[in-house]
Amino acid sequence: MRLELAQMSNNEELLEFYSRFPLENSMQLKLDRGRDFFKYYNVQSDQFVSYILRDDKSTILGHVAFVIETVLIEGKATRIAWSRDLRISPERKAILEWTEHIKDVFAEVRKIFGVEYFMTSLNMNEVVALNTFTRPRSQKRFMPRYFLYRKFDLVSLHGQFPFTYAPDSKLKIRRGNPSQADLYIKKKKKKNQDYAFSLYTNKENFLETMDRWTSLSWEDFFIAFDSKDNIVGMMSSWSSAGVQDFIPLRYSLLAHNFRQFLKFGKLFSWSRTLTKPYHRIKIEASLNFRSLNHIYVDHPDVFHSLLWKAYDEARDNEFLVYARDRKNINLKPPLGWIAAEQTYGLYCTVLPDEETPSFLHPSHEGLMNLETTRLI
């Protein structure tokens, strides 16, 4: 077996290989990246590297990508690598061979990109993945250790009950205006100082991200102003359709019951339904949702008003998704919203011969900020 860098010429192979590994949690999801496997990485960063594990017949047996970002950790700009899309064929030989390359891969990524830490996120409902990565290891095998930094929720909002309270009438929610971009960025940069793993340490990298982010423009931002015309909150609303689609193959019993409830709620204009699964209609139809990013709010009522506007402006078949640090009470799903939550863990990957990073110490209890593109 051999490990090699993935190139654009491997695009079709990777798309086919990736389609064999649906996500398994409350629903079985197939991820579809259309015609460009690497496009989703480019949304997150302009620096990434992807590795392929092949057998002697040149068949792909494994893949992993590292997306490079500069984030704030302990108040300092820090280079990290997000481990994404680790997929290994279930054969024992492929798994053992991958472990033989881990140390060299980490060393190469560190050397090329100047990375200090390796981070990844795991769905806490994916028992197989948790057992594979986080259980105690034998010292005989050179396997990385996974240290939990923080748990957070991926929240989806599917509608509103009739008793949902109205948005604050004193707040004005406006679409983003390119002519005021400097003002938005300045406010966002200032707020980022309070959150670990925040991006956009300066105006330049914010604008670079905007250029890369497919189909995202300033008009996709919602800005909240108070009665004195001060900015008190903002968020962007983005659809990953065409970049990465999520196709439900099968729902668990719990998810199926939730889907049926949403169908009932739609009769009264309470909710928006979920896509029918492939095993029922034999057609691959994707979930329709908009992910909320670049979130900052000064108060839960501001968040509620922004959500109300984003939900109202979305299409009639689209629900909303965002990531929330469990300690951030400003981003709790507001009372009256029909919401679902999936718990994720943010892990730091450390090799056996490395020291545990200081920022993992429980004394660092500040809030964390994550964009949904790092998770899904």
Side-chain angles (χ1 to χ4, degrees), residues 172-334:
K172 294 169 284 186
I173 310 297
R174 303 170 186 158
R175 289 273 189 174
N177 187 333
S179 64
Q180 293 185 304
D182 287 349
L183 179 62
Y184 306 151
I185 295 172
K186 182 179 179 181
K187 190 73 173 180
K188 178 67 175 168
K189 179 184 173 183
K190 181 180 179 181
K191 287 294 180 179
N192 277 354
Q193 304 300 317
D194 301 328
Y195 295 88
F197 288 90
S198 288
L199 293 167
Y200 322 124
T201 53
N202 57 54
K203 175 183 175 181
E204 288 70 26
N205 59 32
F206 192 104
L207 294 176
E208 288 172 3
T209 302
M210 286 286 294
D211 289 339
R212 290 195 316 273
W213 207 312
T214 305
S215 302
L216 181 70
S217 66
W218 286 111
E219 286 73 22
D220 296 311
F221 281 73
F222 297 100
I223 316 297
F225 295 85
D226 62 14
S227 57
K228 297 180 181 179
D229 230 25
N230 297 313
I231 295 178
V232 291
M234 66 184 293
M235 69 171 55
S236 66
S237 173
W238 176 69
S239 171
S240 66
V243 179
Q244 178 162 275
D245 290 315
F246 297 79
I247 300 170
L249 302 180
R250 186 179 296 272
Y251 291 96
S252 68
L253 178 60
L254 182 64
H256 169 75
N257 290 339
F258 184 63
R259 179 173 168 270
Q260 296 304 313
F261 170 75
L262 294 178
K263 287 173 64 178
F264 172 77
K266 188 177 182 181
L267 297 175
F268 303 95
S269 300
W270 296 352
S271 59
R272 297 171 182 175
T273 58
L274 292 171
T275 305
K276 292 181 180 179
Y278 172 79
H279 84 96
R280 288 282 305 276
I281 59 177
K282 303 305 177 185
I283 297 174
E284 292 191 347
S286 66
L287 294 173
N288 301 298
F289 66 92
R290 301 191 71 84
S291 62
L292 306 178
N293 298 286
H294 309 97
I295 301 174
Y296 112 72
V297 293
D298 287 341
H299 191 275
D301 286 344
V302 177
F303 185 55
H304 174 62
S305 298
L306 285 168
L307 288 178
W308 191 292
K309 184 66 173 179
Y311 187 81
D312 186 58
E313 294 287 332
R315 295 176 181 174
D316 290 342
N317 63 345
E318 291 179 325
F319 58 95
L320 306 180
V321 174
Y322 69 94
R324 180 183 80 90
D325 183 340
R326 286 183 161 189
K327 296 181 179 181
N328 192 344
I329 60 173
N330 285 342
L331 300 189
K332 286 191 66 175

Side-chain angles (χ1 to χ4, degrees), residues 69-88:
E69 288 184 326
T70 300
V71 301
L72 293 177
I73 298 179
E74 297 181 291
K76 301 176 182 178
T78 307
R79 296 274 282 177
I80 66 169
W82 290 97
S83 302
R84 301 296 305 267
D85 299 334
L86 176 59
R87 304 288 190 273
I88 305 292

Side-chain angles (χ1 to χ4, degrees), residues 327-359:
K327 296 181 179 181
N328 192 344
I329 60 173
N330 285 342
L331 300 189
K332 286 191 66 175
L335 182 67
W337 285 80
I338 301 173
E341 296 177 328
Q342 292 190 56
T343 302
Y344 281 74
L346 180 62
Y347 287 86
C348 182
T349 310
V350 182
L351 296 181
D353 57 354
E354 296 177 340
E355 294 185 3
T356 306
S358 62
F359 74 89

